[in-house]
Amino acid sequence: MILRPELIGAFLTGVIGPIIVTFIKEYLEKRKSSKKDPVAESLKTNILVDNKINEILEEYGADRVWITQFHNGGHFYPTGKSIHKFSMFYETVTTGTSSVKDYFQNIPVSLFSKSTNHLLENEVIEIPDFKDETIATHGLKYVADEYGCKSGYLFAIKSIDNKFLGVLGIDYTKKRKSLTHDEISDIRVEVTSIGGVIMNHLQNHH
């Protein structure tokens, strides 16, 4: 049996055509869904991190919880080498506690090299009493005095492959607070989770 050209044309139009159209439509839909809205993704990340630091603030009775992240900021003259800086990207405070976020923007890491290096190597800085001279403050006492911080705890935020992304800080401004070993361990788990959220955001916007 020999199919006439018009029958072949009708077959292609009636059967193959819709299949191709459906395939193209599904392909375009997949491409569309794979292109994430960067603004929407940033807002999602901000909400997740804000929720985390608010939970930490409430659970551990803190007055201020904040997160700084490292970034490049300008270049050295005349070598052109990048200047490493950090900025405070997230902060939550209790009623009556002053915000410090605006004061910690584009700060050269070199100004806090002692505390940053300690966090890089040890991941935690515990200062239950800034007035106690037997406790190492790693160059942070003058900042604590400036912003009325009586106790402070800092945690290194790292990615799963150990990249140093930033710092989470917990401040007590109204009264001194000594966190237990178990509390420190629990907070480190929370910080690991935050590191995953931040790293995922950075990778999606690289």
Side-chain angles (χ1 to χ4, degrees), residues 6-58:
E6 58 268 25
L7 292 176
I8 296 174
F11 174 77
L12 292 174
T13 303
V15 179
I16 304 299
I19 294 175
I20 294 174
V21 170
T22 301
F23 174 79
I24 293 173
K25 185 178 179 181
E26 289 178 354
Y27 173 75
L28 292 174
E29 285 295 325
K30 286 180 181 178
R31 285 200 60 184
K32 183 179 179 181
S33 63
S34 67
K35 291 182 178 180
K36 297 178 180 178
D37 183 340
V39 175
E41 288 298 304
S42 292
L43 289 172
K44 182 179 178 182
T45 298
N46 292 341
I47 290 170
L48 286 171
V49 175
D50 281 336
N51 286 342
K52 284 284 186 183
I53 63 175
N54 274 300
E55 288 172 7
I56 291 172
L57 183 85
E58 293 179 12

Side-chain angles (χ1 to χ4, degrees), residues 108-122:
V109 174
S110 58
L111 293 178
F112 292 87
S113 56
K114 188 180 292 185
S115 57
T116 302
N117 189 64
H118 184 88
L119 286 168
L120 177 65
E121 295 179 354
N122 301 284

Side-chain angles (χ1 to χ4, degrees), residues 69-80:
Q69 287 178 238
F70 299 116
H71 58 84
N72 291 329
H75 299 84
F76 286 104
Y77 179 83
T79 62

